[in-house]
Amino acid sequence: MSIVIENLNYTYMAGGPYETQALREVSLTIEDGEFVGLIGHTGSGKSTLVQHLNGLLMPTSGRIMVDGLDLADKNTDRRAIRRRVGLVFQYPENQLFEETVEKDIAFGPKNLGLDDKEIDRRVRDAMRRVALDYDTLHERSVFELSGGQMRRVAIAGVLAMEPQVLVLDEPCAGLDPRGREEILSLIRNLHSECGTTIVMVSHSMDDVASLAERVIVMNKGQVFMDGVPRDVFSRGEELRAIGLDVPQAVQLAEKLRARGFAVPEGIYRVEEIKAAIEAIVGKGEKHA
Amino acid sequence: MLNDITLGQYFPGNSPVHRMDPRMKLILTIAYIVGVFMVSNLPGYAIALAFLYLVARVSGIRFAYLVRGIKPLRFILIFTFVLNLFFVEGETVLVSLGFFTLTLEALRNACFFAARLVFLVMGTSVLTLTTSPIQLTDGLERLMKPLQRFRFPAHELAMMMTIALRFIPTLLEETDKIKKAQMARGADFESGNLIARAKAMIPLLVPLFVSAFRRANDLAMAMEARCYRGGDHRTRLRELRYTKLDLYGLLATAAFIAIIIVEGKLLG
Amino acid sequence: MANMDENRIVASHLSYAYPEAERSAVKDVSMRVKKGEFLAILGHNGSGKSTLAKLFNALYVPSEGTVWVCGLDTKEDEHVFEIRQHAGMVFQNPDNQIVATVVEEDVAFGLENNGVEPALIRVRIDEALRAVNMSDHALKAPHLLSGGQKQRVAIAGVLAMKPDVIILDESTAMLDPSGRQEVMNTVHRLNDEEGISVVIITHYMGEAATADYVVVMDEGRIAMSGTPREVFTRVDEVRRLGLDVPPMTDLAHMLRADGVSVRADVLTVDEMVEEVCRLSSKI
């Protein structure tokens, strides 16, 4: 299943004094099974873009096709789109409302009109995928859980829709390192084990570098770069020019090259820079 | 729809009306409304309209903008208008259709009542458009201060208003976000009968209340950390002081009311 | 009592349990914040670091032990407002700590509460807004500002009260990278130029790395403390406490595991470059 975006434009509060064009002529295709990292600073249009992917916002002009369905078409069932494309908002724990963990996760499947047996299966399955123990937690109140657990319940609530594409807007915002690692590893597993297409919006270059297979950089409502991380991160100067950073491994590689060391081009992972340094200074010998 | 509401919005500016003391503006607005309610003939309303137009000019607000502010009220206007047509009794029959009789008195009444409503809204709009919410609450607090002697919580009320005004945009934004998050989970807020729709609001309202309580909690602690201890001994950044402008405002409004009274006497 | 010329905050055998809680959130903590010091308190969620921060300006009163802020005991009710003026606090959620509907009115809030003369309030808020680079936004509505700008307004509100210590309780946690940078630059400048002591509560290692001194909390106790270099070098221990180390420290750790003898206390990219230069020149 693919998402095809053609010449997408979106304007907030059209005609009013605060009119702003949030997206300009965005065209891109997200293929089945991809892991896309979407980066850009606040106001670059990335949050607006992801809200188009499941029809929460409608293009001012342009076209979006999800699995062959045209979003702008009046006959397209929005819910059919939302079943295919799951969207996890920033701070998703703020949407929890049911009395128990189980009921909250079941909210999505219920809206899909599934029977009780299927709902139960999905709730258990979703909880397993976000590493929440069903037996101990399903009857607990969502408001008694820790911040990290609440976030995982919220993600499970979207997973229970069993979407083919999962879009996450800053899934790690506000979490401590342990919570962040838990969320990132569950996203990694969803992609590698279930083959779910992932679109992850993130401010952390290091997170994107360690997970994504493709990086889309947004700036001023336009696609600024689109490519494999190796290519995107090798354009450090351009990224810095629009106020973004590059992963520290890339910064180190750039600075070592400037000092005349032979560091291979396109390095962006910590393991790669480590290997490069070991090639320079030699490995395993103790310089006393 | 939300963009149409002029009542309660503030247009920053530096006109003489903007610079008037909020207490005076509050009092004069009330005086103006009282004046409008004393009017009982067409020339009177023309005078009221002219006065309002003048004030709008002086304060730099486009009159058309004031008029647009009435738009959200059109249903209430039509409703009261029709209600007056039906229920006011009169003698001069204009039209008679079966059980329905339209009298001149009823028509007159309906028109005047609608006009009063319009002037009420436009007059108050001038106040809120030229006075920042914080000045407005300041003005109210200080006007009500004498009532504190009778244990009237003037400061607390003003503080509540300030906080409410401060958090309205935040909560509106939050509502939109939660609504979208639930829609992403297949929630439907638009279709179904009244009961189904009311039930559909639960996934929106519960998180909103939870969030509002959390915000209230956070805010209470933040206010405490900044030495908040109620209204006693509190000073204000802006001291309110009556100036010449307020005197001019007072005189102009007094003149308006005098003219209204005289005009009423002359034309009966 | 501790020497107040040198210490802004002194905590001695401090414990705190929330009402009706079984376990103490803070247990037997003794530490101090020196004059002009930039101190970071680290810890995973639930480690007690935020509770500790709230004990530092009398929002909470110790169950056991004592906190002195500029020589004043937080247990004594009559000092509460003076303490809060000495030790100002900026909170996590930028939306939930701004009271007024206009930026400058919000900055004035604390001064108004303390009954400062209007003319002096004017002077102080202008100064404070200038110090956080927000003078141009003085008349704006807070909800139109970015997260970083809102936090700078909150800092200005504290600054206007002429504090000796500013405590930032996870004030960067909800901001984007540029907002975080704005806030960190602002507090560093206040620390450098005005000599105001700063306590940041955080779980961003990058921020803690810029501090003079780091305290790591775990289970309500102080688990580690020292300069950032001393603390982060103990990579495994820091990880066990549910925290990260800066990426370059991590890289140094990995290189050392492979037998490359880089210094263990590398914190920044530039330091790593120097290390590689040093080692390569030896070959």
Side-chain angles (χ1 to χ4, degrees), chain A residues 18 41-42 90-91 147-148 170 173-178 180 203-204 206 243 248-249 251-252 255-256 259 261 270-271 273-275 277-278 280-288, chain C residues 43-45 92 144 173-178 203-205 239-244 247-248 250-251 254-256 258-261 267 269-270 272-274 276-277 279-280 282-283:
Chain A
Y18 296 106
H41 52 76
T42 309
Q90 222 181 92
Y91 299 102
E170 296 253 10
L175 294 179
D176 66 359
R178 193 177 282 167
R180 196 159 66 227
H203 279 305
S204 163
D206 290 292
Q248 291 214 351
Q251 293 175 33
L252 181 57
K255 287 190 172 165
L256 286 174
R259 292 285 187 103
F261 291 107
V270 177
E271 306 83 62
I273 191 71
K274 180 176 139 243
I277 291 174
E278 286 173 352
I280 294 168
V281 302
K283 180 180 172 178
E285 315 146 44
K286 296 269 173 190
H287 306 270
Chain C
H44 59 81
N45 288 345
Q92 180 177 22
L144 298 175
M174 299 182 77
L175 304 181
D176 63 5
S178 56
H203 49 239
Y204 288 108
M205 303 307 123
R239 289 244 165 82
R240 250 200 316 281
L241 296 171
L243 297 171
D244 267 342
M248 288 300 124
D250 188 29
L251 178 60
M254 284 168 15
L255 285 165
R256 284 170 67 89
D258 280 357
V260 178
S261 57
L267 290 177
V269 171
D270 288 324
M272 184 56 93
V273 173
E274 291 313 316
V276 175
C277 289
L279 289 172
S280 68
K282 281 192 185 171
I283 296 172

Side-chain angles (χ1 to χ4, degrees), chain B residues 124-161:
Chain B
T124 325
S125 292
V126 172
L127 173 71
T128 57
L129 284 168
T130 60
T131 318
S132 74
I134 201 139
Q135 282 182 306
L136 211 54
T137 40
D138 254 19
L140 273 173
E141 179 178 357
R142 276 171 242 210
L143 278 180
M144 294 187 300
K145 207 158 190 176
L147 297 174
Q148 243 164 3
R149 220 171 300 153
F150 311 106
R151 305 205 162 237
F152 184 80
H155 164 74
E156 284 75 8
L157 271 176
M159 196 51 140
M160 263 168 53
M161 269 176 66

Side-chain angles (χ1 to χ4, degrees), chain B residues 140-209:
Chain B
L140 273 173
E141 179 178 357
R142 276 171 242 210
L143 278 180
M144 294 187 300
K145 207 158 190 176
L147 297 174
Q148 243 164 3
R149 220 171 300 153
F150 311 106
R151 305 205 162 237
F152 184 80
H155 164 74
E156 284 75 8
L157 271 176
M159 196 51 140
M160 263 168 53
M161 269 176 66
T162 305
I163 291 169
L165 284 167
R166 157 71 188 78
F167 278 90
I168 284 169
T170 310
L171 288 175
L172 278 177
E173 211 173 286
E174 177 128 34
T175 309
D176 182 58
K177 239 183 88 183
I178 296 169
K179 193 173 167 191
K180 280 179 176 165
Q182 306 300 28
M183 277 161 73
R185 293 206 278 167
D188 185 356
F189 295 106
E190 269 115 38
S191 53
N193 58 26
L194 209 61
I195 294 169
R197 277 202 210 187
K199 250 180 103 179
M201 293 307 279
I202 293 173
L204 182 58
L205 291 177
V206 173
L208 200 58
F209 273 107

Side-chain angles (χ1 to χ4, degrees), chain A residues 58-116:
Chain A
M58 283 296 162
T60 305
S61 73
R63 202 159 75 131
I64 302 177
M65 304 282 287
V66 176
D67 200 12
L69 297 168
D70 188 344
L71 265 187
D73 189 341
K74 289 245 160 27
N75 298 319
T76 303
D77 180 6
R78 297 282 154 69
R79 279 200 268 180
I81 305 266
R82 283 171 200 155
R83 187 179 314 165
R84 288 174 173 80
V85 183
L87 175 54
V88 178
F89 274 87
Q90 222 181 92
Y91 299 102
E93 57 274 16
N94 290 349
Q95 78 194 23
L96 301 178
F97 70 99
E98 277 284 13
E99 293 151 50
T100 68
V101 170
E102 183 178 27
K103 280 188 186 169
D104 208 288
I105 299 173
F107 179 67
K110 251 188 198 149
N111 286 328
L112 295 180
L114 302 169
D115 63 53
D116 287 352

Side-chain angles (χ1 to χ4, degrees), chain B residues 132-135 138 159 162-163 165-167 169-170 173 211 214-216 218-230 232-239, chain C residues 54 57 59-60 81 84-85 89 91 93 95-102 104-116 118 121-122 125 142-143 157 161:
Chain B
S132 74
I134 201 139
Q135 282 182 306
D138 254 19
M159 196 51 140
T162 305
I163 291 169
L165 284 167
R166 157 71 188 78
F167 278 90
T170 310
E173 211 173 286
S211 140
R214 197 183 43 233
R215 287 182 194 281
D218 284 0
L219 187 69
M221 189 162 276
M223 286 170 69
E224 219 182 305
R226 290 168 72 186
C227 303
Y228 182 69
R229 55 193 115 160
D232 303 340
H233 315 296
R234 210 167 176 261
T235 48
R236 302 307 305 270
L237 165 62
R238 264 174 245 290
E239 292 295 89
Chain C
K54 286 169 188 120
N57 70 347
L59 283 172
Y60 296 161
F81 296 109
R84 288 180 185 156
Q85 194 195 316
M89 188 130 159
F91 295 86
N93 193 326
D95 281 321
N96 298 358
Q97 54 184 321
I98 293 180
V99 187
T101 47
V102 178
E104 64 171 24
E105 299 268 359
D106 189 74
V107 176
F109 183 72
L111 299 171
E112 293 177 334
N113 290 333
N114 284 343
V116 176
I121 296 182
R122 186 77 254 169
I125 60 175
H143 70 98
M161 293 165 75

